[in-house]
Amino acid sequence: LSGTRARVAVAPFDKHIFICCTRREPGHVRGSCDPGGTDALQKAFKKALAERGINRRIRANKSGCLDQCEKGPTVVVYPEAVWYGPVTAADVSEIVEQHIIGGRPVERLLMPE
């Protein structure tokens, strides 16, 4: 376009961590990634990122159903498309340190295919 400056698209985040926060009624056949409806796992990721000062480049998003309900609380990291499950709050620091900062997925938490 004549007279306009060229714009370069830059992604605002280096990585996105999507944390399933699907809630279902107790006893549902597919289970529920956030049965208490507290978003505790997503909050734990946000806290861990903030404590390390990387929350401006790494985003921890609440997600709706990721369709892996039977595999427990599900987390996926993009752009790598690394899927974890089941994930607990006790696993958050390890994922952040080893994968998000260190670049090595946490093998023991990788979701089985």
Side-chain angles (χ1 to χ4, degrees):
L1 296 170
S2 178
T4 61
R5 290 174 51 179
R7 296 183 70 182
V8 177
V10 178
F13 301 104
D14 295 332
K15 294 184 189 299
H16 276 90
I17 306 167
F18 291 96
I19 302 102
C20 182
C21 293
T22 296
R23 299 168 189 113
R24 291 195 178 95
E25 64 276 359
H28 191 282
V29 66
R30 294 208 63 204
S32 178
C33 285
D34 188 16
T38 63
D39 303 329
L41 193 55
Q42 188 251 356
K43 290 174 184 174
F45 271 102
K46 287 179 73 81
K47 181 179 179 194
L49 297 172
E51 288 173 348
R52 290 159 179 85
I54 57 175
N55 55 321
R56 295 193 186 273
R57 298 303 303 159
I58 312 297
R59 177 83 174 159
N61 292 85
K62 287 191 276 186
S63 168
C65 185
L66 294 169
D67 203 26
Q68 300 298 312
C69 312
E70 294 82 2
K71 296 175 183 169
T74 302
V75 172
V76 61
V77 179
Y78 284 106
E80 301 100 314
V82 173
W83 289 73
Y84 292 113
V87 176
T88 68
D91 300 318
V92 171
S93 286
E94 185 177 4
I95 293 171
V96 171
E97 290 294 327
Q98 185 175 315
H99 181 170
I100 303 304
I101 294 172
R104 296 178 329 275
V106 180
E107 294 285 331
R108 71 177 185 82
L109 295 172
L110 292 177
M111 185 174 290
E113 293 184 29

